Amino acid sequence: MSEQESDEVKRMKQLEEARKRVEELKKKKNKKNKGKKNKNSSATGSIGSETPDLEGTPGEESTQEETVKANSTKSENNDQNDVDEESEEKEIEQVKSDPSGTTEKDIEEINSTSSNVGKDDAENTKKEEVQEVIKNNNDEQTADAGKTIEPQEEKKIVQTQEGNEPSNTSEAADDLFANDGNEESDFLTTIKKQKEEDELTKLRAENEKLTQENKQLKFLNMENETTVDDLQDQLQEKEDIINGLQNDLQTARDELIAAVEKLKLAEAKAARNTTATPIQFADFNTSSNNLTPSQSVTNSGTQVAHGNNMEVDRVMLNKWRQWNVDMTTWRSIGSGPIMEF
Amino acid sequence: MFRIAKNLVRTFEQSVQDTLALSQDSSNLDAFFQSIPPNLLSAQLESPVDAVSEGVKHTNVNETLSGLRIVWVDEMQFQLQSFFDYIVGFNDDPVPVVSNQHGFSYPDYRRITSIFNEHCGRTLKVNIWSAKGGTFRDEYISIISKESDDLDDVSLNHDERRPSSGEAHQFQALGFKVQWTPLIASTFTYHILNVNIPDGPAQSAGLIPDEDYIIGCQDGLLATGGETLLQDIVRSRANYDLVLYVYNKVSDCVRPITVHIGPDGRLGCNVGYGFLHRIPTVKHCPQQAQQQGQDDNPVPVPVPVESETAFVPSAFTAPPVPTKKKSKNKKGTQPLAMDDYFNEGRDKSSTAAKSAESDILAPPPQKQSSSD
């Protein structure tokens, strides 16, 4: 913390020095030549510092001259500083009337003087720093100008606000007094009229709202009616579907009954076929070699029944054993007559 | 290079030999007919040579090889079966054939009749070739002499009867009819492979896949054979009924079926034709054996009576003519004794053959009665 404070103090000192120098330049433009001379003297001082090593006695003389010049510059600086301080104080008093500011400035001045006294040898380096500080001061001046402008604007705004308020209040008061004093009956009538007008507007608004609500309700009614119609149509469709399903159910039942009957008939036929086998056996025994078409048809019929079931009736096939086909009337690639033995 | 050249020469030689072998195979006998003893085919095999000498060439022997096909069988005849059986010899001798001027051979029916007449009162060995697997077997048929009192039906066409029959039959009817037919005709069969149309004509008719063979079609329309013949017939009979004669290899039976062909002219099944689809050999089942045993029972009943009656006519025929009687008696005695001797041996072998083949044969008492 002590280091930070010391740094801040140094910065403040540098700033004050820069301000002083700027003021000096503005006030004493004519003294630029002196400044130049001071610079020349500083140059000659440097040359002198080099020569003492070679010459013993002239070195001492140059040093004495330098000390005199330095004292003169110091005195000038002190004068300039005093002027600057006064101007600054005025400004500060104008803007701020705080006593703490003065105390701070005094402290700064004291510090600056001590630093000037303590650091005579490093003037060259300070000059460079001064140039940099000058730039910073210019920036600060512009900022200060902005600050000075802003309070004026604020004052103007405040003034306008203050001006507006009393006018409103005065007008209200004038109105009240004028009405009360001059025309009491007009006042009452106007009040009544206003009330009536307000009521009318309210009623009209209510009327409009009600009409709108009425319209909306009508539309809702229409929509409801359409929905009712749609629902009725859907009901009819569903009833039709139900009727169709019932019909399908009835047809399915009928088909089932028919199928059952067919199964019964098939079973009966199967039973007949099983019972008919002995008859076929009898036919086989009594039949001749050449079957009649009816017999062949019946045989093929029985085979058809079994063929549909893809079952081979071995019993029927075995009955055909030892049966020989008669080829005497067939076409043949044989030659010569058919001989019987 | 020389090795390559040698290899090329060898390959060419092999190809030439293969082609020659193929040409020779065309003249060789089909495997289906090789079960027939060569001596029974000698007469027919010689005739192509004569034909070649006369300028006519028969490149394929299989097409000309023929036999007496059984085309009809009586109910009482159980030794033979129509369509499948061919008589290719008598007493291990080929069927007597005669060649005409064109080099074609046909049977000598007079000679055949005389053979039957010579064996009146005895049994005759008939050499049979069957189309069921191309098997060869011997059947012993007992020939019963005709009684003098019995009368035969005589056809009005005397001219036709005389050249056809030649000599009069001195024996009772044997119960079968024959016709000279090439053996290859028995291979014109169509194998039912599978039924591919549900509820189609084939399935409705009851055709059994892989078991049934179509062997005939409505009065012999399939007689000439051919891969597309059945298809053409079925297409031509669209929207009509068609009678098919079907052989079942499992039951060993032939049955007629009536098939109604639809408008599309399809039978509704896949059919195989050719060498691989010929009728196979019969496999004897226990049921078949039982039935055959049952069939064997009625056979011995009429035979002894016939044998007794057969012995009497020879005694009656000897006395009427004295001079002729003497010569006949001499001839009759000598061949009878010799025949009896040979018959005894044959009967024994025939019994063994019958037991092996489980066919119908005369029982032992017949032999004793004949020897007595």
Side-chain angles (χ1 to χ4, degrees):
Chain A
M1 293 297 289
S2 62
E3 292 177 356
Q4 291 178 357
E5 289 176 356
S6 63
D7 292 331
E8 289 177 356
V9 171
K10 288 179 181 178
R11 290 177 182 174
M12 294 298 290
K13 288 179 182 178
Q14 290 175 0
L15 289 170
E16 287 175 357
E17 289 176 356
R19 288 176 183 176
K20 288 177 182 178
R21 289 176 183 175
V22 169
E23 288 175 355
E24 288 176 356
L25 290 169
K26 288 180 180 179
K27 290 179 181 180
K28 295 179 180 180
K29 291 182 180 179
N30 293 322
K31 291 182 181 179
K32 289 183 180 179
N33 294 323
K34 290 183 180 179
K36 290 181 180 178
K37 288 180 181 179
N38 288 325
K39 290 180 180 178
N40 291 322
S41 65
S42 67
T44 54
S46 66
I47 295 165
S49 65
E50 291 177 355
T51 53
D53 295 333
L54 298 173
E55 293 177 357
T57 56
E60 291 176 356
E61 290 177 356
S62 65
T63 54
Q64 288 176 0
E65 289 176 357
E66 289 176 356
T67 55
V68 171
K69 288 179 182 179
N71 290 323
S72 66
T73 56
K74 286 180 182 179
S75 64
E76 289 175 357
N77 289 325
N78 290 321
D79 294 334
Q80 290 177 358
N81 289 323
D82 293 333
V83 172
D84 293 328
E85 287 175 357
E86 288 176 357
S87 66
E88 288 178 357
E89 286 176 357
K90 289 179 180 178
E91 290 178 357
I92 292 163
E93 286 176 357
Q94 289 177 357
V95 175
K96 295 180 180 179
S97 63
D98 293 333
S100 64
T102 56
T103 57
E104 289 177 356
K105 289 181 180 180
D106 293 334
I107 292 162
E108 289 176 357
E109 287 174 358
I110 291 162
N111 289 324
S112 65
T113 55
S114 65
S115 66
N116 288 319
V117 172
K119 298 181 179 179
D120 294 333
D121 296 331
E123 288 179 358
N124 292 322
T125 59
K126 288 181 182 179
K127 288 180 181 179
E128 293 177 357
E129 291 177 356
V130 167
Q131 290 176 358
E132 291 177 359
V133 171
I134 288 162
K135 292 179 181 179
N136 292 323
N137 288 323
N138 290 323
D139 293 331
E140 288 177 357
Q141 287 176 1
T142 56
D144 293 332
K147 289 180 181 178
T148 55
I149 291 163
E150 288 177 357
Q152 292 177 359
E153 291 177 354
E154 290 178 356
K155 289 179 181 178
K156 290 179 182 179
I157 292 163
V158 171
Q159 289 175 0
T160 56
Q161 289 178 355
E162 289 176 355
N164 288 326
E165 289 177 356
S167 66
N168 291 325
T169 56
S170 65
E171 287 176 358
D174 292 335
D175 291 332
L176 291 170
F177 286 109
N179 290 324
D180 292 333
N182 295 323
E183 297 177 354
E184 293 179 355
S185 64
D186 294 333
F187 178 74
L188 292 171
T189 55
T190 55
I191 290 165
K192 287 180 181 178
K193 287 180 181 179
Q194 284 177 359
K195 286 181 180 179
E196 289 175 357
E197 288 176 357
D198 292 333
E199 287 178 358
L200 284 170
T201 54
K202 287 179 181 179
L203 290 170
R204 286 176 182 172
E206 288 178 359
N207 190 9
E208 289 176 356
K209 287 180 180 178
L210 290 170
T211 54
Q212 289 177 358
E213 287 178 359
N214 190 8
K215 288 180 181 178
Q216 288 176 0
L217 290 170
K218 285 181 180 178
F219 287 118
L220 288 172
N221 190 11
M222 292 171 72
E223 289 178 357
N224 288 326
E225 286 178 355
T226 55
T227 54
V228 168
D229 292 334
D230 292 334
L231 290 171
Q232 286 178 356
D233 293 334
Q234 288 178 1
L235 283 172
Q236 287 177 359
E237 289 177 357
K238 288 182 177 178
E239 286 176 357
D240 293 335
I241 290 165
I242 288 163
N243 292 326
L245 291 171
Q246 287 177 354
N247 291 327
D248 292 335
L249 183 61
Q250 287 177 359
T251 54
R253 286 177 180 173
D254 294 334
E255 287 177 357
L256 182 63
I257 291 163
V260 170
E261 289 176 356
K262 286 181 181 178
L263 285 172
K264 290 179 181 178
L265 291 173
E267 288 176 356
K269 286 181 181 178
R272 288 177 185 175
N273 289 326
T274 55
T275 56
T277 50
I279 295 166
Q280 291 175 359
F281 182 76
D283 293 335
F284 176 75
N285 289 329
T286 57
S287 66
S288 63
N289 290 329
N290 295 321
L291 292 176
T292 59
S294 62
Q295 290 175 355
S296 65
V297 169
T298 55
N299 289 320
S300 65
T302 56
Q303 291 171 1
V304 166
H306 295 291
N308 289 329
N309 296 325
M310 295 300 291
E311 295 178 355
V312 178
D313 189 357
R314 297 293 177 188
V315 175
M316 291 298 297
L317 289 175
N318 290 328
K319 288 179 180 177
W320 286 101
R321 192 171 292 174
Q322 301 297 334
W323 182 83
N324 290 289
V325 66
D326 183 2
M327 299 170 64
T328 54
T329 58
W330 282 22
R331 301 178 191 178
S332 174
I333 62 173
S335 61
I338 295 173
M339 294 298 296
E340 183 177 0
F341 291 104
Chain B
M1 294 300 293
F2 289 105
R3 289 180 181 176
I4 293 166
K6 287 181 181 178
N7 290 326
L8 287 172
V9 170
R10 286 178 183 174
T11 54
F12 289 138
E13 287 177 354
Q14 287 178 359
S15 64
V16 170
Q17 288 176 2
D18 292 336
T19 54
L20 291 173
L22 289 172
S23 64
Q24 289 175 0
D25 290 336
S26 64
S27 64
N28 289 337
L29 193 64
D30 191 342
F32 204 55
F33 310 137
Q34 287 180 359
S35 63
I36 302 169
N39 60 342
L40 299 179
L41 301 174
S42 60
Q44 299 186 44
L45 293 175
E46 288 176 358
S47 61
V49 176
D50 297 334
V52 169
S53 65
E54 292 178 358
V56 178
K57 294 181 180 179
H58 295 284
T59 58
N60 196 343
V61 176
N62 298 314
E63 294 179 355
T64 59
L65 192 64
S66 302
L68 293 170
R69 189 178 198 180
I70 307 297
V71 296
W72 175 82
V73 177
D74 189 15
E75 292 178 355
M76 300 303 294
Q77 176 59 256
F78 299 108
Q79 293 175 289
L80 303 173
Q81 190 169 6
S82 64
F83 184 87
F84 302 103
D85 291 346
Y86 286 75
I87 297 172
V88 294
F90 298 100
N91 288 328
D92 296 331
D93 292 327
V95 174
V97 297
V98 177
S99 299
N100 61 7
Q101 60 183 359
H102 301 290
F104 294 97
S105 61
Y106 59 93
D108 186 359
Y109 289 108
R110 291 182 181 181
R111 178 60 183 156
I112 294 168
T113 305
S114 65
I115 290 169
F116 282 111
N117 289 331
E118 289 173 1
H119 288 81
C120 288
R122 295 183 291 173
T123 58
L124 177 64
K125 182 178 181 181
V126 180
N127 304 117
I128 303 292
W129 178 83
S130 175
K132 297 178 183 177
T135 56
F136 178 83
R137 72 179 190 274
D138 296 329
E139 294 286 348
Y140 292 86
I141 298 172
S142 62
I143 301 172
I144 301 169
S145 62
K146 188 187 299 182
E147 292 179 358
S148 61
D149 295 336
D150 293 337
L151 298 175
D152 290 333
D153 295 333
V154 177
S155 65
L156 296 176
N157 296 321
H158 295 282
D159 294 335
E160 291 181 358
R161 181 176 179 81
R162 287 177 182 177
S164 63
S165 64
E167 296 180 2
H169 291 180
Q170 297 177 4
F171 51 89
Q172 293 184 2
L174 301 176
F176 62 89
K177 296 180 181 178
V178 297
Q179 185 183 24
W180 186 248
T181 307
L183 301 180
I184 199 72
S186 64
T187 62
F188 300 155
T189 57
Y190 300 86
H191 185 195
I192 305 297
L193 299 176
N194 58 17
V195 177
N196 57 4
I197 297 175
D199 297 331
Q203 186 171 355
S204 300
L207 288 173
I208 302 167
D210 194 43
E211 291 183 12
D212 285 348
Y213 293 79
I214 297 171
I215 62 172
C217 174
Q218 195 156 322
D219 299 336
L221 295 178
L222 299 175
T224 56
E227 188 173 352
T228 61
L229 180 58
L230 180 63
Q231 184 179 5
D232 296 337
I233 291 166
V234 170
R235 284 180 180 175
S236 67
R237 297 290 296 174
N239 293 320
Y240 289 97
D241 292 338
L242 184 66
V243 178
L244 299 174
Y245 293 91
V246 178
Y247 171 76
N248 186 276
K249 69 179 182 180
V250 173
S251 303
D252 187 21
C253 63
V254 177
R255 68 185 191 278
I257 60 172
T258 302
V259 178
H260 181 74
I261 306 298
D264 56 350
R266 298 175 67 185
L267 191 59
C269 62
N270 291 331
V271 176
Y273 179 83
F275 185 83
L276 297 177
H277 299 287
R278 292 176 178 173
I279 295 171
T281 304
V282 176
K283 295 179 179 178
H284 296 285
C285 299
Q287 293 179 356
Q288 291 179 1
Q290 290 176 0
Q291 290 182 1
Q292 288 177 0
Q294 291 176 359
D295 294 332
D296 290 334
N297 290 328
V299 171
V301 174
V303 172
V305 175
E306 291 175 356
S307 64
E308 290 176 358
T309 57
F311 185 74
V312 174
S314 63
F316 286 102
T317 54
V321 179
T323 57
K324 294 181 179 179
K325 287 180 181 178
K326 290 180 180 179
S327 63
K328 287 185 177 179
N329 286 327
K330 290 179 180 179
K331 293 180 180 179
T333 54
Q334 292 177 357
L336 288 172
M338 296 297 288
D339 291 335
D340 290 336
Y341 178 77
F342 285 109
N343 286 328
E344 288 178 358
R346 290 177 181 174
D347 289 337
K348 291 179 181 179
S349 65
S350 67
T351 55
K354 288 179 182 178
S355 64
E357 297 177 357
S358 69
D359 292 328
I360 299 167
L361 294 175
Q366 294 178 5
K367 297 175 185 177
Q368 291 176 1
S369 63
S370 63
S371 64
D372 294 337

